[in-house]
Amino acid sequence: MILDSLRAVLFDLDGTLLDTFDFIYGAFEHTFATHGIPPLDRDAISEHMGGPLPEVYATMAPGFDTAVLTETHRIFQLANIHLVSVFPQTIEVLESLKQRHLKIAAITTRSIRTSVRSLEQTGIAHYFDIIISAEDVIRVKPDPEPLLKALGSMGLKPEEAVMVGDTIADIQAGKNAGTKTVAALYGFGGERLLALEPDYAIRELRELVDILSVQSDRSV
């Protein structure tokens, strides 16, 4: 399908472009162990992911200081950036989008303390026209603010963009902002994202290129 108005692709990072399963789950598991919180298995953790980290911990560990848990989580991640890698198709897809003259934004709820470093370490930071992290906005996904801020900085409208992500918060943020949505079912959210009725769903990242089918001579 040709999306004639498409000028930008907004990507979530973790579980969408970056393989951060051990990086993310490991941070939760480390935090649980450090503070004596009964552990959850990874499937149970994935059901809570996507929103603001303090809120995630509030639902998983009621009664604990979410600020302390969040800081423990982020310190673990700062020390374990080596656990972040790209999915096998990530660079291929980003190259294809750049060749088609599309703007590319990274929109993550992760702290700026590790988000940019993750992109630099994996060698893909240069593909992005803008990176929006948790500290860059007042309200993170599923609120539309991060998406609208990225689009505004690029001089684009929501109807000119598609949001690609692997959590409920990603798809809700896209809908709230007025973009098209693509659910990455291979990530943390899995098949449960289909209940949100995204515009498209992919089971491997390469499928995104076929879905967009953007004319190669488009300029922005």
Side-chain angles (χ1 to χ4, degrees), residues 189-217:
E191 298 287 326
R192 68 175 67 95
L193 299 187
L194 294 175
L196 300 178
E197 299 183 347
D199 294 293
Y200 308 96
I202 56 176
R203 288 181 168 79
E204 60 176 22
L205 185 55
R206 187 182 292 119
E207 294 174 23
L208 180 65
V209 176
D210 294 330
I211 286 174
L212 300 183
S213 298
V214 183
Q215 297 173 11
S216 61
D217 62 350

mmCIF file of all heavy atoms in Angstrom, residues 189-217:
data_model
loop_
_atom_site.group_PDB
_atom_site.id
_atom_site.type_symbol
_atom_site.label_atom_id
_atom_site.label_comp_id
_atom_site.label_asym_id
_atom_site.label_seq_id
_atom_site.Cartn_x
_atom_site.Cartn_y
_atom_site.Cartn_z
ATOM 1 N N GLY A 189 5.387 -6.453 23.601
ATOM 2 C CA GLY A 189 3.931 -6.540 23.727
ATOM 3 C C GLY A 189 3.305 -7.750 23.078
ATOM 4 O O GLY A 189 2.224 -8.198 23.484
ATOM 5 N N GLY A 190 3.973 -8.283 22.057
ATOM 6 C CA GLY A 190 3.470 -9.479 21.392
ATOM 7 C C GLY A 190 2.098 -9.317 20.775
ATOM 8 O O GLY A 190 1.681 -8.224 20.402
ATOM 9 N N GLU A 191 1.383 -10.420 20.699
ATOM 10 C CA GLU A 191 0.095 -10.464 20.018
ATOM 11 C C GLU A 191 -0.988 -9.631 20.709
ATOM 12 O O GLU A 191 -1.997 -9.297 20.094
ATOM 13 C CB GLU A 191 -0.385 -11.920 19.911
ATOM 14 C CG GLU A 191 0.532 -12.836 19.107
ATOM 15 C CD GLU A 191 0.448 -12.571 17.615
ATOM 16 O OE1 GLU A 191 -0.647 -12.229 17.136
ATOM 17 O OE2 GLU A 191 1.481 -12.730 16.934
ATOM 18 N N ARG A 192 -0.771 -9.275 21.973
ATOM 19 C CA ARG A 192 -1.802 -8.504 22.675
ATOM 20 C C ARG A 192 -2.036 -7.139 22.031
ATOM 21 O O ARG A 192 -3.098 -6.533 22.219
ATOM 22 C CB ARG A 192 -1.451 -8.349 24.159
ATOM 23 C CG ARG A 192 -0.257 -7.498 24.462
ATOM 24 C CD ARG A 192 -0.073 -7.312 25.976
ATOM 25 N NE ARG A 192 0.265 -8.549 26.628
ATOM 26 C CZ ARG A 192 1.522 -8.937 26.904
ATOM 27 N NH1 ARG A 192 2.533 -8.154 26.562
ATOM 28 N NH2 ARG A 192 1.756 -10.074 27.497
ATOM 29 N N LEU A 193 -1.083 -6.680 21.225
ATOM 30 C CA LEU A 193 -1.242 -5.381 20.567
ATOM 31 C C LEU A 193 -2.355 -5.400 19.527
ATOM 32 O O LEU A 193 -2.913 -4.354 19.192
ATOM 33 C CB LEU A 193 0.062 -4.951 19.894
ATOM 34 C CG LEU A 193 1.284 -4.771 20.793
ATOM 35 C CD1 LEU A 193 2.437 -4.183 19.991
ATOM 36 C CD2 LEU A 193 0.970 -3.894 21.981
ATOM 37 N N LEU A 194 -2.681 -6.560 19.008
ATOM 38 C CA LEU A 194 -3.718 -6.640 17.983
ATOM 39 C C LEU A 194 -5.077 -6.192 18.501
ATOM 40 O O LEU A 194 -5.910 -5.714 17.735
ATOM 41 C CB LEU A 194 -3.802 -8.076 17.446
ATOM 42 C CG LEU A 194 -2.565 -8.575 16.681
ATOM 43 C CD1 LEU A 194 -2.732 -10.038 16.306
ATOM 44 C CD2 LEU A 194 -2.312 -7.721 15.444
ATOM 45 N N ALA A 195 -5.286 -6.308 19.809
ATOM 46 C CA ALA A 195 -6.567 -5.889 20.396
ATOM 47 C C ALA A 195 -6.770 -4.381 20.271
ATOM 48 O O ALA A 195 -7.911 -3.905 20.339
ATOM 49 C CB ALA A 195 -6.629 -6.303 21.861
ATOM 50 N N LEU A 196 -5.695 -3.634 20.058
ATOM 51 C CA LEU A 196 -5.781 -2.183 19.914
ATOM 52 C C LEU A 196 -6.124 -1.757 18.485
ATOM 53 O O LEU A 196 -6.286 -0.569 18.213
ATOM 54 C CB LEU A 196 -4.466 -1.529 20.332
ATOM 55 C CG LEU A 196 -4.026 -1.769 21.782
ATOM 56 C CD1 LEU A 196 -2.686 -1.107 22.036
ATOM 57 C CD2 LEU A 196 -5.062 -1.234 22.746
ATOM 58 N N GLU A 197 -6.177 -2.718 17.595
ATOM 59 C CA GLU A 197 -6.499 -2.472 16.186
ATOM 60 C C GLU A 197 -5.556 -1.445 15.546
ATOM 61 O O GLU A 197 -5.987 -0.397 15.050
ATOM 62 C CB GLU A 197 -7.962 -2.029 16.032
ATOM 63 C CG GLU A 197 -8.948 -3.080 16.516
ATOM 64 C CD GLU A 197 -10.400 -2.682 16.296
ATOM 65 O OE1 GLU A 197 -10.656 -1.493 15.986
ATOM 66 O OE2 GLU A 197 -11.276 -3.566 16.415
ATOM 67 N N PRO A 198 -4.244 -1.736 15.568
ATOM 68 C CA PRO A 198 -3.308 -0.848 14.866
ATOM 69 C C PRO A 198 -3.599 -0.874 13.370
ATOM 70 O O PRO A 198 -4.245 -1.811 12.868
ATOM 71 C CB PRO A 198 -1.943 -1.472 15.184
ATOM 72 C CG PRO A 198 -2.247 -2.931 15.401
ATOM 73 C CD PRO A 198 -3.586 -2.944 16.091
ATOM 74 N N ASP A 199 -3.119 0.129 12.651
ATOM 75 C CA ASP A 199 -3.350 0.163 11.209
ATOM 76 C C ASP A 199 -2.656 -0.996 10.508
ATOM 77 O O ASP A 199 -3.163 -1.537 9.521
ATOM 78 C CB ASP A 199 -2.850 1.494 10.637
ATOM 79 C CG ASP A 199 -3.658 2.667 11.156
ATOM 80 O OD1 ASP A 199 -4.848 2.761 10.807
ATOM 81 O OD2 ASP A 199 -3.110 3.470 11.930
ATOM 82 N N TYR A 200 -1.489 -1.373 11.025
ATOM 83 C CA TYR A 200 -0.716 -2.476 10.455
ATOM 84 C C TYR A 200 -0.063 -3.241 11.589
ATOM 85 O O TYR A 200 0.114 -2.716 12.692
ATOM 86 C CB TYR A 200 0.381 -1.967 9.502
ATOM 87 C CG TYR A 200 -0.114 -1.030 8.439
ATOM 88 C CD1 TYR A 200 -0.033 0.356 8.609
ATOM 89 C CD2 TYR A 200 -0.677 -1.513 7.255
ATOM 90 C CE1 TYR A 200 -0.491 1.222 7.641
ATOM 91 C CE2 TYR A 200 -1.138 -0.654 6.285
ATOM 92 C CZ TYR A 200 -1.045 0.719 6.482
ATOM 93 O OH TYR A 200 -1.515 1.576 5.522
ATOM 94 N N ALA A 201 0.320 -4.482 11.314
ATOM 95 C CA ALA A 201 1.071 -5.292 12.272
ATOM 96 C C ALA A 201 2.159 -6.039 11.523
ATOM 97 O O ALA A 201 1.947 -6.494 10.395
ATOM 98 C CB ALA A 201 0.153 -6.272 12.992
ATOM 99 N N ILE A 202 3.334 -6.129 12.147
ATOM 100 C CA ILE A 202 4.448 -6.836 11.521
ATOM 101 C C ILE A 202 5.018 -7.849 12.508
ATOM 102 O O ILE A 202 5.024 -7.623 13.719
ATOM 103 C CB ILE A 202 5.559 -5.868 11.060
ATOM 104 C CG1 ILE A 202 6.054 -4.999 12.218
ATOM 105 C CG2 ILE A 202 5.042 -4.992 9.918
ATOM 106 C CD1 ILE A 202 7.214 -4.081 11.854
ATOM 107 N N ARG A 203 5.499 -8.958 11.984
ATOM 108 C CA ARG A 203 6.098 -9.993 12.824
ATOM 109 C C ARG A 203 7.607 -10.065 12.656
ATOM 110 O O ARG A 203 8.274 -10.817 13.354
ATOM 111 C CB ARG A 203 5.433 -11.347 12.544
ATOM 112 C CG ARG A 203 4.020 -11.403 13.112
ATOM 113 C CD ARG A 203 3.325 -12.719 12.892
ATOM 114 N NE ARG A 203 2.102 -12.791 13.710
ATOM 115 C CZ ARG A 203 0.948 -12.207 13.410
ATOM 116 N NH1 ARG A 203 0.839 -11.497 12.285
ATOM 117 N NH2 ARG A 203 -0.094 -12.309 14.213
ATOM 118 N N GLU A 204 8.128 -9.297 11.708
ATOM 119 C CA GLU A 204 9.563 -9.049 11.618
ATOM 120 C C GLU A 204 9.744 -7.660 11.016
ATOM 121 O O GLU A 204 8.891 -7.172 10.263
ATOM 122 C CB GLU A 204 10.297 -10.110 10.807
ATOM 123 C CG GLU A 204 9.844 -10.248 9.377
ATOM 124 C CD GLU A 204 10.702 -11.264 8.622
ATOM 125 O OE1 GLU A 204 11.330 -12.125 9.273
ATOM 126 O OE2 GLU A 204 10.737 -11.192 7.387
ATOM 127 N N LEU A 205 10.831 -7.009 11.359
ATOM 128 C CA LEU A 205 10.990 -5.600 11.037
ATOM 129 C C LEU A 205 11.004 -5.341 9.537
ATOM 130 O O LEU A 205 10.502 -4.313 9.069
ATOM 131 C CB LEU A 205 12.272 -5.073 11.683
ATOM 132 C CG LEU A 205 12.552 -3.574 11.567
ATOM 133 C CD1 LEU A 205 11.383 -2.748 12.094
ATOM 134 C CD2 LEU A 205 13.830 -3.230 12.329
ATOM 135 N N ARG A 206 11.558 -6.244 8.762
ATOM 136 C CA ARG A 206 11.670 -6.032 7.321
ATOM 137 C C ARG A 206 10.309 -5.817 6.665
ATOM 138 O O ARG A 206 10.205 -5.182 5.614
ATOM 139 C CB ARG A 206 12.394 -7.213 6.674
ATOM 140 C CG ARG A 206 12.701 -6.992 5.192
ATOM 141 C CD ARG A 206 13.385 -8.202 4.580
ATOM 142 N NE ARG A 206 14.715 -8.399 5.114
ATOM 143 C CZ ARG A 206 15.117 -9.482 5.785
ATOM 144 N NH1 ARG A 206 14.244 -10.450 6.039
ATOM 145 N NH2 ARG A 206 16.349 -9.597 6.215
ATOM 146 N N GLU A 207 9.250 -6.353 7.261
ATOM 147 C CA GLU A 207 7.911 -6.195 6.693
ATOM 148 C C GLU A 207 7.488 -4.730 6.628
ATOM 149 O O GLU A 207 6.621 -4.367 5.835
ATOM 150 C CB GLU A 207 6.889 -6.978 7.520
ATOM 151 C CG GLU A 207 7.077 -8.484 7.486
ATOM 152 C CD GLU A 207 6.132 -9.195 8.433
ATOM 153 O OE1 GLU A 207 5.084 -8.615 8.781
ATOM 154 O OE2 GLU A 207 6.444 -10.323 8.850
ATOM 155 N N LEU A 208 8.105 -3.897 7.455
ATOM 156 C CA LEU A 208 7.741 -2.477 7.466
ATOM 157 C C LEU A 208 7.981 -1.825 6.112
ATOM 158 O O LEU A 208 7.176 -1.010 5.655
ATOM 159 C CB LEU A 208 8.541 -1.742 8.546
ATOM 160 C CG LEU A 208 8.272 -0.242 8.677
ATOM 161 C CD1 LEU A 208 6.842 0.015 9.138
ATOM 162 C CD2 LEU A 208 9.275 0.395 9.640
ATOM 163 N N VAL A 209 9.072 -2.188 5.457
ATOM 164 C CA VAL A 209 9.405 -1.591 4.159
ATOM 165 C C VAL A 209 8.315 -1.902 3.140
ATOM 166 O O VAL A 209 7.897 -1.043 2.360
ATOM 167 C CB VAL A 209 10.767 -2.087 3.672
ATOM 168 C CG1 VAL A 209 11.073 -1.539 2.278
ATOM 169 C CG2 VAL A 209 11.859 -1.669 4.655
ATOM 170 N N ASP A 210 7.832 -3.130 3.151
ATOM 171 C CA ASP A 210 6.776 -3.510 2.210
ATOM 172 C C ASP A 210 5.459 -2.802 2.530
ATOM 173 O O ASP A 210 4.721 -2.409 1.621
ATOM 174 C CB ASP A 210 6.570 -5.027 2.246
ATOM 175 C CG ASP A 210 7.774 -5.787 1.736
ATOM 176 O OD1 ASP A 210 8.498 -5.244 0.873
ATOM 177 O OD2 ASP A 210 8.007 -6.907 2.214
ATOM 178 N N ILE A 211 5.174 -2.634 3.811
ATOM 179 C CA ILE A 211 3.938 -1.962 4.200
ATOM 180 C C ILE A 211 3.937 -0.510 3.737
ATOM 181 O O ILE A 211 2.958 -0.003 3.194
ATOM 182 C CB ILE A 211 3.747 -2.025 5.730
ATOM 183 C CG1 ILE A 211 3.326 -3.429 6.147
ATOM 184 C CG2 ILE A 211 2.696 -1.013 6.197
ATOM 185 C CD1 ILE A 211 3.265 -3.622 7.646
ATOM 186 N N LEU A 212 5.057 0.162 3.941
ATOM 187 C CA LEU A 212 5.111 1.570 3.586
ATOM 188 C C LEU A 212 5.117 1.775 2.076
ATOM 189 O O LEU A 212 4.489 2.699 1.565
ATOM 190 C CB LEU A 212 6.356 2.227 4.217
ATOM 191 C CG LEU A 212 6.401 2.165 5.748
ATOM 192 C CD1 LEU A 212 7.630 2.899 6.259
ATOM 193 C CD2 LEU A 212 5.156 2.744 6.367
ATOM 194 N N SER A 213 5.855 0.936 1.370
ATOM 195 C CA SER A 213 5.916 1.005 -0.099
ATOM 196 C C SER A 213 6.027 2.445 -0.592
ATOM 197 O O SER A 213 5.261 2.895 -1.448
ATOM 198 C CB SER A 213 4.646 0.357 -0.703
ATOM 199 O OG SER A 213 4.563 -1.006 -0.355
ATOM 200 N N VAL A 214 6.928 3.163 -0.020
ATOM 201 C CA VAL A 214 7.098 4.562 -0.365
ATOM 202 C C VAL A 214 7.860 4.683 -1.671
ATOM 203 O O VAL A 214 8.829 3.972 -1.904
ATOM 204 C CB VAL A 214 7.872 5.290 0.751
ATOM 205 C CG1 VAL A 214 7.994 6.779 0.428
ATOM 206 C CG2 VAL A 214 7.182 5.101 2.079
ATOM 207 N N GLN A 215 7.409 5.581 -2.517
ATOM 208 C CA GLN A 215 8.073 5.765 -3.795
ATOM 209 C C GLN A 215 9.499 6.260 -3.562
ATOM 210 O O GLN A 215 9.741 7.157 -2.768
ATOM 211 C CB GLN A 215 7.324 6.775 -4.649
ATOM 212 C CG GLN A 215 5.916 6.310 -4.994
ATOM 213 C CD GLN A 215 5.108 7.375 -5.688
ATOM 214 O OE1 GLN A 215 5.649 8.402 -6.092
ATOM 215 N NE2 GLN A 215 3.829 7.142 -5.840
ATOM 216 N N SER A 216 10.462 5.648 -4.227
ATOM 217 C CA SER A 216 11.869 5.925 -3.953
ATOM 218 C C SER A 216 12.303 7.330 -4.332
ATOM 219 O O SER A 216 13.327 7.805 -3.879
ATOM 220 C CB SER A 216 12.738 4.906 -4.708
ATOM 221 O OG SER A 216 12.528 5.007 -6.096
ATOM 222 N N ASP A 217 11.522 8.025 -5.140
ATOM 223 C CA ASP A 217 11.935 9.367 -5.574
ATOM 224 C C ASP A 217 11.277 10.457 -4.751
ATOM 225 O O ASP A 217 11.332 11.631 -5.106
ATOM 226 C CB ASP A 217 11.627 9.574 -7.055
ATOM 227 C CG ASP A 217 10.134 9.490 -7.352
ATOM 228 O OD1 ASP A 217 9.361 9.092 -6.471
ATOM 229 O OD2 ASP A 217 9.756 9.809 -8.499
#
